[in-house]
Amino acid sequence: QVTAKTAFLFILPQYNVSVPTADGELVQYHYGLKDLVTILFYIFIAIILHAVVQEYALDKINRRLHLSKVKHSKFNESGQLVAFHLTSVIWCLYVVVTEGYISNPRSLWENYPHVYLPYQVKFFYLCQLAYWLHALPELYFQKVRKEEIPRQLRCIALYLLHIAGAYLLNLTRLGLILLLLQYLAEFFFHMARLVYFTDENNEKLFNVWAVVFVVTRLFTLTLYILVIGFGLPRVESQALDPERGNFFSFLFNNILFRMSVLLLVCLFQASVMWRFIHFQLRRWREYWNEQSSRKRAAAAGTKQQTKLLKRDSGYHENGVVKAENGTSPRTKKLKSP
């Protein structure tokens, strides 16, 4: 029994409470220090699953494609993220649909702070934190190049900041929707990279990703404006109450603070869109340059082939014009009368 209790501490979410409802009692959860033990356990699970995907799927495909070292590293990165993002999108979509967060958008800010979480919401957040924490030792295990490490560290830090912030500040409902939108766009991007590595002439999925990226950015910005600009300022409890998990909703009652936060959000989304537009323009420029170089090469090959055909047909030889049968044409002499 002692061993079972210890095992439950690692496997199952802790801090469950019975919340009275109209239909009876409902078991829900809040967070605490014991969550770190559960996250540690699922970090090891994520490392094992990472190795399984690498050995039984990605390595076999890499041996067939014969990719270079640079492409090999990027292929492995995108392959792992495709598996993770696809799983997370399906899981997150199931959670937000069953909990009614999509059908009732007001639930994103109503009754804030959302201190008590359903089991599936808390377990989802713990697994997300475990995955992005496991990505840190994977930088060593996968022997990532030194040039790539700063970029990947920034990505990991941003995800951890977003997920941990939503979890600790009791904004888990808003965080779920934002993660769903972000993971959806990332899934199409890394899927497009995988297809591109297998066939460099196939870039159709990048166009699909571009559309999905723009749509998800618009939804993300709209969601921020809806929740921060209109939702949280209408929360009944506006007083600072850390014991109840109400950390900053009172700040959104101040219009100056609210507008400042919205301005920062808009600037951040604008910077993301600017990088995206710059990337698309560079990609299209490279595509058109490649197409024009191919046309020039094809035109040069056609001219060369035409010259060879003329030389073989006997029309010219050493600068002397000849007839079709190869004999030199002679001018007839006129007889004097």
Side-chain angles (χ1 to χ4, degrees), residues 219-231 258 262 265-266:
F219 270 104
T220 299
L221 183 59
T222 304
L223 199 60
Y224 272 118
I225 295 174
L226 182 65
V227 175
I228 296 176
F230 300 99
R258 187 163 69 245
L262 287 176
V265 169
C266 291

Side-chain angles (χ1 to χ4, degrees), residues 27-43:
V27 177
Q28 292 192 328
Y29 297 80
H30 59 96
Y31 60 81
L33 290 177
K34 292 181 181 179
D35 291 340
L36 297 175
V37 179
T38 310
I39 291 172
L40 179 63
F41 173 76
Y42 285 101
I43 286 175

Side-chain angles (χ1 to χ4, degrees), residues 38 52 69 130 139 153 166 174 192-193 209 228 245 250 268-269 278 294 313 330 333-334:
T38 310
V52 170
K69 289 185 178 180
L139 295 177
L153 284 176
L174 176 62
R193 285 182 74 184
W209 163 70
I228 296 176
F250 71 99
F268 176 75
Q269 295 299 322
H278 181 71
R294 286 182 179 179
S313 61
R330 296 181 179 178
K333 293 183 179 180
L334 297 175

Side-chain angles (χ1 to χ4, degrees), residues 228 252 256-266:
I228 296 176
F252 291 100
L256 182 61
F257 178 81
R258 187 163 69 245
M259 296 304 295
S260 300
V261 172
L262 287 176
L263 180 61
L264 289 175
V265 169
C266 291

Side-chain angles (χ1 to χ4, degrees), residues 54-70:
Q54 184 67 43
E55 182 175 354
Y56 291 99
L58 298 179
D59 286 345
K60 291 183 178 180
I61 298 174
N62 274 319
R63 283 194 288 269
R64 294 182 180 180
L65 296 177
H66 304 289
L67 299 174
S68 62
K69 289 185 178 180
V70 176

Side-chain angles (χ1 to χ4, degrees), residues 185 187-196 201-212 280 283:
F187 167 75
F188 280 102
F189 173 72
H190 289 288
M191 194 69 199
R193 285 182 74 184
L194 291 181
V195 174
Y196 175 77
N201 295 321
N202 191 347
E203 297 186 359
K204 294 180 180 179
L205 267 181
F206 278 110
N207 298 327
V208 177
W209 163 70
V211 175
V212 173
Q280 291 296 325
R283 189 169 70 90

Side-chain angles (χ1 to χ4, degrees), residues 134-145 149 152:
H134 112 281
L136 294 173
E138 285 294 343
L139 295 177
Y140 173 77
F141 295 147
Q142 294 293 319
K143 298 180 180 179
V144 177
R145 296 185 305 156
I149 289 178
Q152 295 200 24

Side-chain angles (χ1 to χ4, degrees), residues 313-314 322-328:
S313 61
K322 287 194 170 187
E324 291 184 0
N325 57 1
T327 60
S328 300

